[in-house]
Amino acid sequence: MFYTIMNVGALCCGPIIDSFTWYTPVYANRYVFALCSYISFLGCWIASSFLSENGEKKKKNDESTKEVDEKATLSQGENESSFKQLLTDPSFIRFMAISLLLTNVRSIFRHLDATLPKYLIRKHGPKVAKGFIYSINPLVIILGVPIVTSLTSQMDA
């Protein structure tokens, strides 16, 4: 669900950035960055104002966590053996292999965020619709993933 909402946001972001770029003399990134900063500040203020615990609960929780921390400390030998056990665990090895393989996928997304807009401006001029071009990826994900999933759900692994 989070991934879908993230892609819908990325899909909407492109046209918004393009409209700022076309109708403002200053680069749109500054306005979008400032707007997101204000919204983040507002969210942090709301969270800290309305969702904070009262002081009495915090004191009780601090005392109980000190007791748990004292009981949970391990000796040096126990730490080394648990680390060796982690490194030889098949689940951990699979996790690390997938993480290393997905590093390349992450670098492609970083290219979309960082270098593609600069390339498009240099190649096609300052009025290029870089936001719309960037929005192609989320659109394909939103429309393509359900289609591919429904087509491949009947296949054996």
Side-chain angles (χ1 to χ4, degrees):
M1 188 66 179
F2 172 75
Y3 191 65
T4 304
I5 293 171
M6 182 183 70
N7 279 305
V8 169
L11 179 64
C12 296
C13 180
I16 291 171
I17 287 179
D18 283 341
S19 64
F20 271 107
T21 303
W22 293 332
Y23 299 116
T24 57
V26 183
Y27 286 119
N29 296 341
R30 294 180 185 171
Y31 290 121
V32 173
F33 182 75
L35 178 65
C36 292
S37 298
Y38 292 134
I39 291 172
S40 297
F41 175 75
L42 181 66
C44 289
W45 179 77
I46 290 171
S48 65
S49 297
F50 297 111
L51 301 177
S52 65
E53 297 179 27
N54 57 17
E56 204 170 279
K57 283 185 181 177
K58 281 187 177 181
K59 289 178 185 175
K60 288 180 183 176
N61 287 340
D62 288 342
E63 291 172 6
S64 65
T65 54
K66 286 180 185 176
E67 292 174 9
V68 171
D69 287 342
E70 290 172 2
K71 292 178 184 176
T73 55
L74 298 173
S75 67
Q76 184 68 22
E78 291 173 334
N79 282 336
E80 289 176 3
S81 66
S82 63
F83 186 69
K84 288 178 185 175
Q85 186 179 8
L86 173 70
L87 291 178
T88 58
D89 185 31
S91 300
F92 179 74
I93 293 171
R94 282 193 303 268
F95 169 74
M96 289 305 296
I98 291 294
S99 296
L100 289 173
L101 291 173
L102 291 180
T103 301
N104 291 327
V105 174
R106 181 68 190 139
S107 67
I108 290 170
F109 281 109
R110 187 64 195 141
H111 164 68
L112 282 173
D113 295 338
T115 59
L116 183 65
K118 188 66 84 174
Y119 168 76
L120 290 172
I121 291 171
R122 288 179 182 170
K123 182 72 177 168
H124 301 289
K127 295 292 184 179
V128 66
K130 59 186 175 289
F132 283 106
I133 295 170
Y134 178 79
S135 297
I136 293 171
N137 181 31
L139 180 66
V140 169
I141 290 172
I142 291 169
L143 298 177
V145 168
I147 294 169
V148 171
T149 303
S150 66
L151 292 174
T152 60
S153 64
Q154 304 300 326
M155 297 177 132
D156 291 334

